């Protein structure tokens, strides 16, 4: 062994390469981010946001606000840190070696999106010391959410904003190879990735707009000056799937194939909200297998209707045969963000026009017929017209954004935490901490045991402790 320096290389095989190619890393990362957004974390967020109701298993606990350190282990370990995040980090490294910054640009935008999802869910998280692949950093420190969003030069922490901007800069560089069909979002259209990056900057800015309004306005003003946002539904940052078993969207599988498909159904509260305005999106959002909507109130403790009759996610959310997509950033969301920014921060723009366009974009994306859309606007003048003081206008915007983001429970939860809208009544039989709707996920017990940098014992923040940007 001493004389044979290549002794330990005998197990190398071309069928198990050390280096994973950029196309594989990109597709795996995109799927990971989509699963993180729409799998178990979505079951949790959609339930506590009164969109779905729990019947059995975890959704019943979520419905009654009960979560703990035993939840979301697969999401933390497999979908995020051991999945999407590490794939994007590796893709950035591979892109540098291959002199292909186009891949790095996409990876940095998606790395920022996925780290934002993670910190928005848990608060302070491993960030600057995560994903290093260094045996000396097996127990990474937790960076504060403030430092993750804003950066900290003294601690050498890059802000999420700068990470996105680095990605946008990479997309403008000459690249030997560029994404193609393995890009399940834009099929290699880098101009659309630039639009997505700027819409992500807008989303990040609105996330901190209550706690850091000055920084938020600066970021949004700079993005508006570029005028390169997602500007139509075909530019949505949405991960597409196949229709064959094994390639379908996570929400399709949860709704139609999984052993957990009867764990939940659509909430009566959400259906009633859309019924109150005869919203034409309702039949496209929600099924009615029994001829009408069969739903249950949140926290219900009685006998549930037969599984075959229950209303659940319809084609808008799942696709007709599992093709999805998972919508991560949309044109409607961008319009609503800009409308709120005009009112809340005083940035340039026409809030009413942006609000109107947001509703229309959502309805168009849901395949609402134009005649039905026009009727909705005629019949609901008070709903579609911003009125009253600024706070009331923001409530109108966020309520319509909540409807438009059906099936993206995490974004609905983010908006509710930072704005208080839409106004949601407490669930029946609420438990958890003080009977209050969760405002964060609880750190994994296994991570706290493994890594002493996590809060320990009574210092572990529970589900009623707000994250940094949540000062509502």
């Amino acid at each position: 062994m001493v004389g044979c320096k290549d002794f330990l290389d005998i197990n190398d095989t071309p069928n198990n390469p050390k280096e994973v190619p950029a196309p594989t890393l990109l597709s795996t990362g995109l799927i990971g981010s989509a699963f993180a957004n729409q799998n178990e974390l979505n079951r949790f967020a959609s339930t506590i946001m009164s969109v779905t109701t729990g019947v059995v298993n975890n959704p019943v606990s979520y419905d009654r606000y009960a979560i703990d350190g035993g939840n979301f282990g697969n999401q933390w370990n497999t979908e995020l840190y051991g999945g999407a995040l590490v794939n994007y980090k590796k893709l950035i490294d591979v892109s540098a070696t291959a002199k292909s910054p186009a891949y790095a640009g996409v990876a940095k935008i998606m790395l920022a999106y996925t780290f934002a999802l993670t910190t928005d869910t848990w608060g302070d998280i491993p960030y600057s010391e995560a994903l290093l692949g260094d045996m000396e950093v097996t127990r990474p420190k937790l960076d504060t959410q403030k430092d993750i969003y804003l950066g900290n030069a003294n601690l050498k922490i890059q802000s999420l904003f700068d990470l996105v901007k680095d990605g946008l800069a990479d997309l403008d560089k000459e690249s030997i190879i560029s994404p193609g069909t393995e890009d399940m979002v834009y099929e290699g259209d880098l101009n659309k990735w630039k639009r997505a990056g700027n819409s992500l900057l807008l989303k990040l800015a609105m996330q901190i707009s209550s706690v850091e309004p000055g920084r938020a306005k600066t970021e949004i003003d700079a993005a508006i000056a570029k005028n390169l946002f997602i500007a139509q539904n075909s530019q949505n940052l949405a991960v597409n799937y196949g229709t064959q078993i094994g390639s379908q969207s996570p929400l399709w599988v949860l709704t139609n194939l999984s052993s957990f498909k009867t764990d939940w159904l659509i909430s009566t509260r959400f259906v009633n909200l859309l019924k109150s305005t005869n919203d034409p999106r309702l039949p496209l959002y929600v099924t009615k297998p029994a001829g009408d909507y069969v739903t249950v109130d949140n926290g219900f403790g009685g006998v549930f209707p037969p599984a075959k009759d229950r209303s659940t996610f319809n084609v808008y959310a799942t696709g007709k045969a599992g093709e999805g997509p998972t919508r991560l950033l949309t044109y409607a969301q961008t319009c609503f963000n800009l409308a709120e920014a005009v009112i809340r921060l005083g940035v340039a723009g026409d809030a009413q026009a942006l609000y109107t366009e947001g509703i229309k974009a959502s309805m168009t994306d849901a395949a609402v017929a134009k005649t039905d859309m026009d009727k909705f606007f005629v019949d609901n003048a008070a709903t579609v017209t911003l009125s009253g003081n600024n706070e009331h206008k923001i409530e109108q915007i966020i309520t319509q954004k909540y409807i438009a983001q059906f099936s993206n429970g995490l974004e609905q939860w983010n908006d509710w935490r930072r704005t208080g809208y839409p106004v949601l009544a407490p669930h029946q039989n609420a438990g958890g901490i003080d009977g209050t709707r969760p405002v964060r996920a609880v750190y994994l017990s296994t991570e706290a045991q493994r890594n002493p940098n996590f809060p320990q014992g009574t210092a572990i923040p529970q589900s009623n402790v707000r994250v940094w940007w949540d000062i509502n």
Side-chain angles (χ1 to χ4, degrees):
M1 289 181 63
V2 173
C4 301
K5 63 182 180 69
D6 294 330
F7 179 83
L8 296 178
D9 293 337
I10 59 173
N11 291 321
D12 287 354
T13 166
N15 295 320
N16 185 24
K18 290 182 178 180
E19 294 297 329
V20 181
T24 301
L25 290 166
L26 176 58
S27 59
T28 305
L30 291 173
I31 287 291
S33 293
F35 265 74
N37 173 277
Q38 203 175 64
N39 199 20
E40 188 65 15
L41 289 175
N42 185 51
R43 285 214 306 173
F44 158 69
S46 291
T47 302
I48 64 170
M49 288 302 297
S50 307
V51 175
T52 55
T53 298
V55 178
V56 294
N57 298 323
N58 283 347
V60 172
S61 297
Y62 304 155
D63 213 355
R64 299 180 183 182
Y65 307 157
I67 60 172
D68 57 34
N71 296 119
F72 314 131
N74 286 337
Q75 287 60 57
W76 178 281
N77 292 314
T78 304
E79 294 170 0
L80 292 166
Y81 282 101
L85 292 172
V86 73
N87 275 278
Y88 296 135
K89 176 62 169 63
K90 183 64 174 176
L91 179 54
I92 293 168
D93 296 340
V94 168
S95 301
T97 302
K99 297 181 180 180
S100 299
Y103 276 103
V106 173
K108 289 174 184 177
I109 290 169
M110 289 306 302
L111 186 65
Y113 170 87
T114 310
F115 263 128
L117 184 157
T118 309
T119 186
D120 291 344
T121 302
W122 279 278
D124 302 348
I125 57 168
Y127 175 67
S128 62
E129 289 186 354
L131 316 176
L132 295 180
D134 187 338
M135 292 302 292
E136 295 181 1
V137 191
T138 57
R139 297 175 176 178
K141 67 174 182 175
L142 276 67
D143 294 321
T144 67
Q145 186 175 72
K146 180 178 180 179
D147 283 346
I148 293 168
Y149 264 93
L150 303 184
N152 187 318
N154 292 332
L155 296 177
K156 299 182 179 179
I157 299 173
Q158 182 184 40
S159 75
L160 291 177
F161 293 102
D162 287 342
L163 181 55
V164 175
K165 292 171 188 175
D166 279 358
L168 290 170
D170 283 341
L171 294 180
D172 285 329
K173 297 175 182 177
E174 184 176 349
S175 192
I176 293 177
I177 58 171
S178 295
T181 56
E182 77 279 4
D183 173 4
M184 293 168 290
V185 179
Y186 297 130
E187 295 187 336
D189 189 329
L190 298 186
N191 185 66
K192 289 182 178 179
W193 274 111
K194 293 175 186 178
R195 290 183 177 277
N198 283 293
S199 284
L200 177 56
L201 289 172
L202 173 60
K203 179 188 118 60
L204 297 175
M206 291 313 300
Q207 202 66 53
I208 65 168
S209 59
S210 293
V211 68
E212 289 281 345
R215 175 66 178 271
K217 185 177 186 302
T218 297
E219 296 290 348
I220 294 171
D221 285 341
I224 287 175
K226 292 182 180 179
N227 193 28
L228 196 65
F229 296 112
I230 294 173
Q232 56 192 46
N233 288 323
S234 64
Q235 298 166 356
N236 288 349
L237 176 49
V239 178
N240 300 289
Y241 303 88
T243 57
Q244 301 299 313
I245 292 177
S247 66
Q248 294 155 314
S249 83
L251 193 56
W252 166 270
V253 174
L254 278 172
T255 302
N256 295 281
L257 299 179
S258 167
S259 60
F260 304 118
K261 66 183 181 181
T262 58
D263 283 8
W264 56 344
L265 74 167
I266 301 297
S267 168
T268 300
R269 302 183 188 199
F270 185 79
V271 168
N272 285 347
L273 174 64
L274 273 66
K275 279 185 172 180
S276 69
T277 58
N278 291 316
D279 194 310
R281 288 169 288 191
L282 180 55
L284 300 163
Y285 280 179
V286 180
T287 64
K288 42 183 177 180
D292 199 358
Y293 299 104
V294 177
T295 61
V296 172
D297 189 40
N298 288 100
F300 177 71
V303 178
F304 287 86
K308 66 181 179 61
D309 296 336
R310 298 173 191 164
S311 291
T312 187
F313 291 97
N314 209 348
V315 292
Y316 168 81
T318 64
K320 292 181 180 179
E323 67 273 22
T326 295
R327 298 169 176 87
L328 303 180
L329 288 170
T330 67
Y331 177 40
Q333 180 184 15
T334 298
C335 290
F336 290 128
N337 279 336
L338 285 168
E340 183 187 355
V342 171
I343 294 170
R344 184 184 295 278
L345 301 173
V347 305
D350 183 334
Q352 178 61 58
L354 290 162
Y355 176 61
T356 299
E357 187 62 19
I359 298 171
K360 290 183 176 180
S362 171
M363 290 188 173
T364 302
D365 195 30
V368 170
K370 187 177 185 305
T371 53
D372 292 337
M373 189 189 312
D374 292 343
K375 187 176 187 305
F376 175 85
F377 274 83
V378 170
D379 293 347
N380 296 282
T383 297
V384 301
T385 304
L386 296 176
S387 63
N389 60 26
N390 284 350
E391 193 62 27
H392 183 257
K393 292 176 182 177
I394 290 173
E395 180 180 3
Q396 289 180 280
I397 292 168
I398 299 301
T399 300
Q400 282 300 313
K401 190 180 178 188
Y402 167 80
I403 294 170
Q405 294 188 147
F406 176 73
S407 77
N408 191 334
L410 288 173
E411 290 298 343
Q412 292 171 319
W413 185 41
N414 283 342
D415 285 331
W416 175 79
R417 285 185 289 168
R418 70 177 182 82
T419 69
Y421 302 122
V423 175
L424 300 174
H427 292 182
Q428 296 184 48
N429 300 302
I433 305 294
D434 303 326
T436 58
R437 186 176 274 106
V439 291
R440 73 156 74 216
V442 181
Y443 291 128
L444 271 64
S445 300
T446 52
E447 284 298 297
Q449 293 166 3
R450 184 191 69 81
N451 186 348
N453 290 310
F454 277 78
Q456 302 293 317
T458 57
I460 297 175
Q462 297 301 305
S463 62
N464 62 339
V465 178
R466 300 177 186 274
V467 298
W468 164 74
W469 49 250
D470 178 8
I471 61 172
N472 173 63

